[in-house]
Amino acid sequence: MFQTAPPPARPDDEYLMRDTTAHPPAFAPGYKTSVLRSPRNALISIPQTLSEVTAPIFRADELGPLDADLILNYARGGMPVGERIVVHGFVRDQLGRPVPGALVEVWQANASGRYRHKKDQYLGALDPNFGGCGRILTGPDGHYAFRTIKPGPYPWRNRINDWRPSHIHFALSGTGWAQRLITQMYFEGDPLIATCPIVRTIPDDEQVRGLVAQQDVAHFVPLDSRAYRFDIVLRGQRATWFENDLQGQTR
Amino acid sequence: MTHLLRETASQTAGPYVHIGLAPRAAGFDIFERDFGPVLATPGTRGERIAIEGRVLDGSGTPVRDVLLELWQANAEGRYAHPADRQPGKALDPAFRGWGRACSDFDTGVWRFETIKPGAVAGRGGVAMAPHVNLWIVARGINIGLHTRMYFDDEPAANAADPVLNLIEWEVRRATLVGRRESREGGPVYRFDIRLQGEGETVFFDA
């Protein structure tokens, strides 16, 4: 078909169109707060520009030595209470390629289901030795790992007896603004997952299963911690061969 | 056919997003270095501006637990990222172009301190008007919302902007334009974001 070789692919530019069926809709009335916070108009779809394919780049020296250790990063002369766990996995794109240098930010409740936040009024006790946040940069292979305490479930104001399953919040910053993602990780075997109105905003059961971390015996730390594996997929980058140049040049 | 993995499902940032992304706003100090709302440093080139506003829900009530991130080009219109290969535009070593801000828990007002960006090339040679990119997350927002703020003192550039012109309803384009106000301490662009209802802000799927 080609008389000469095609121009080189530019795999670092554009992202695949977002598959909206992979995500919850904005309006999901079972999660009551979404009712007034969801746009009613359709999103305006635009071709990606430099504004969407670029994003901040984070350096290891911006993070502190204990940022990935939630057991020790707020310890005040003692250890936090609760089950010690390691959470780890790979951040990849939709083509299965590792996303190195991605910023992974995590936050969670303590073992009692209480958040260290001035707006959290839950009866569960604060833990003087637990802050509940951490951050990690993925390695060259897209791997991340952090150590923490397994968070507890807690009741929340939706219906009168709704409980959140144990979960850890994840914010991901990859190589492009279009990849920015926030999600939540759940724990294998938790009976609250099936009934949680926030989990159930996701219409696709397979996508829900993707948020459930599996216990990972191979990475237990003997006499210390269990481990959970949670892999994350960000939007994939595609090659652009024949389209208008993102840098504003016509070809 | 190439096998594609599915993107991990989004979930709401929840009411306690500050713990992870802005712990001082949650009420405690933990990281040596927090990521904050001040993008301009003393050495940054460009006109100092602030951008402030509120996020309003479908009842017109300010959303007081929202977190926004801002991503923008430098004063010459170049992003601090290797995918930006625009010729003839220099990087500014004193400007990353990214920050995050939380709304005030009482007033709902958020604020960034930055510089006005230059124009960035759009696709196929049509320049985009100066703009900043905003990403909005909060309790009740199931997937982060992407929008842009343009500048009301750039009417000619805005009229020619290829992204604004993709919005079929001209009346909705105005929802993306910040209003310049002169204040003590420098110019402020006021930009309220309406999640729903009358004057609903345009959000993008890019």
Side-chain angles (χ1 to χ4, degrees), chain B residues 19-92:
Chain B
I19 295 173
L21 304 190
R24 283 181 194 138
F28 67 107
D29 220 342
I30 184 164
F31 298 136
E32 284 173 31
R33 178 172 175 158
D34 269 9
F35 299 123
V38 179
L39 286 78
T41 63
T44 305
R45 297 191 288 265
E47 183 193 9
R48 275 11 182 214
I49 61 167
I51 299 172
E52 70 167 37
R54 294 174 304 170
V55 175
L56 304 166
D57 74 12
S59 76
T61 304
V63 177
R64 297 182 181 91
D65 53 9
V66 71
L67 182 138
L68 300 93
E69 289 189 0
L70 184 152
W71 172 239
Q72 68 167 87
N74 69 20
E76 291 192 35
R78 177 156 177 191
Y79 285 102
H81 186 280
D84 188 338
R85 298 179 292 271
Q86 294 175 87
K89 292 182 177 181
L91 285 172
D92 180 346

Side-chain angles (χ1 to χ4, degrees), chain A residues 17-94:
Chain A
M17 183 179 81
R18 181 167 252 163
D19 173 7
T20 51
T21 68
H23 298 288
F27 175 74
Y31 175 27
K32 296 182 182 183
T33 313
S34 76
V35 171
L36 281 175
R37 294 185 172 192
S38 42
R40 286 294 178 272
N41 286 282
L43 301 179
I44 303 288
S45 292
I46 57 172
Q48 287 163 28
T49 71
L50 288 173
S51 298
E52 288 78 31
V53 304
T54 57
I57 292 167
F58 297 94
R59 302 183 315 270
D61 66 7
E62 294 182 271
L63 308 188
L66 290 178
D67 283 7
D69 187 349
L70 283 71
I71 290 182
L72 290 183
N73 70 8
Y74 200 74
R76 299 288 189 263
M79 290 279 204
V81 173
E83 299 175 41
R84 297 160 66 87
I85 58 170
V86 171
V87 178
H88 79 111
F90 290 89
V91 180
R92 298 192 183 92
D93 76 5
Q94 287 176 276

Side-chain angles (χ1 to χ4, degrees), chain A residues 10 12-14 18-19 21-26 31 33-41 43-52 54-58 62 67 73-74 93-94 105 107 115-120 132-133 135 175 177 180-184 186 198 201-202 204 207 211 232-233 235 244-248 250, chain B residues 4-13 15-21 25-26 28-33 35 57-59 63 65 69 71 79 81-87 96 98 100 105 120-125 128 131 133 135 137-143 145-146 148 163 166 169 172 195-196 200 202-206:
Chain A
R10 304 156 63 92
D12 58 343
D13 282 355
E14 287 191 62
R18 181 167 252 163
D19 173 7
T21 68
H23 298 288
Y31 175 27
T33 313
S34 76
V35 171
L36 281 175
R37 294 185 172 192
S38 42
R40 286 294 178 272
N41 286 282
L43 301 179
I44 303 288
S45 292
I46 57 172
Q48 287 163 28
T49 71
L50 288 173
S51 298
E52 288 78 31
T54 57
I57 292 167
F58 297 94
E62 294 182 271
D67 283 7
N73 70 8
Y74 200 74
D93 76 5
Q94 287 176 276
E105 297 173 288
W107 67 102
Y115 284 95
R116 184 170 293 283
H117 190 289
K118 57 188 176 190
K119 295 291 179 189
D120 189 2
C133 58
R135 48 196 193 180
T175 49
W177 193 242
R180 200 80 176 83
L181 182 71
I182 281 187
T183 190
Q184 301 183 28
Y186 304 97
I198 287 178
T201 60
I202 301 168
D204 184 317
Q207 286 295 93
L211 299 185
I232 294 159
V233 179
R235 286 172 73 180
N244 288 335
D245 190 285
L246 275 174
Q247 319 293 324
T250 44
Chain B
L4 283 181
L5 301 172
R6 294 187 84 189
E7 187 185 8
T8 297
S10 175
Q11 289 269 262
T12 179
Y16 307 124
V17 59
H18 318 88
I19 295 173
L21 304 190
F28 67 107
D29 220 342
I30 184 164
F31 298 136
E32 284 173 31
R33 178 172 175 158
F35 299 123
D57 74 12
S59 76
V63 177
D65 53 9
E69 289 189 0
W71 172 239
Y79 285 102
H81 186 280
D84 188 338
R85 298 179 292 271
Q86 294 175 87
R96 168 185 251 170
W98 175 78
R100 59 168 60 131
F105 287 119
V120 174
R123 297 181 76 100
M128 294 189 283
H131 64 278
N133 308 287
W135 181 69
V137 295
R139 176 172 69 105
I141 295 177
N142 288 328
I143 182 165
L145 295 167
H146 284 277
R148 293 180 172 197
V163 171
L166 277 176
W169 307 271
R172 299 199 67 207
L195 296 178
Q196 185 189 98
E200 183 176 302
V202 167
F203 300 104
F204 292 112
D205 165 39

